[in-house]
Amino acid sequence: MNGVQHHLLLCATPTKALCGDPAVGAASWDRLKQLVRDLGLEDSARPRGVVLRTKADCLRVCCEGPVLLIWPEGITYGGVTPERIERIVREHVVGGVPIEEWIVRRTPFSRPLPPG
Ligand code: FES
């Protein structure tokens, strides 16, 4: 395995439904699963590493959902319909170019403190 390129977390069908229409979230999740499979992003031999996906309950954004958080960039997209998730996967995850107009939050990792 060549490591992990990205981890995608989708608040698709949250328990408290604070994050958009759960029917849209469920459809977006189905599309994401299909895309990851069809594009071979789960292939452990993929030179750029695998793309992991997780259906999360709540990502603490709770508006403009369904929301999709992508690590390691810490970029959260809002209004993630099946059509949007297709563009996000193709342009951001595969192409490396985030779609600025759909980004609702950026939460980069903090830098580790030096030892001592
Ligand atoms: S319910 Fe979706 S981020 Fe909280």
Side-chain angles (χ1 to χ4, degrees), residues 11 14 18-19 57-62 67:
C11 174
L18 301 172
C19 208
D57 187 74
C58 173
L59 295 166
R60 299 184 178 213
V61 177
C62 306
V67 295

Side-chain angles (χ1 to χ4, degrees), residues 64 75-80 84 87-88 91-92 97-106:
E64 300 187 57
I75 285 176
T76 301
Y77 288 102
V80 179
R84 280 194 179 192
R87 261 193 72 191
I88 292 165
E91 295 181 27
H92 179 155
V97 181
I99 302 171
E100 295 294 332
E101 65 265 33
W102 297 340
I103 295 173
V104 294
R105 185 175 292 183
R106 290 179 187 269

Side-chain angles (χ1 to χ4, degrees), residues 7-11 29 32 52-56 59 67-71:
H7 190 176
L8 281 53
L9 299 103
L10 181 67
C11 174
W29 176 246
L32 175 60
L52 304 177
R53 54 180 173 76
T54 298
K55 184 160 71 169
L59 295 166
V67 295
L68 175 72
L69 170 61
I70 299 184
W71 294 113

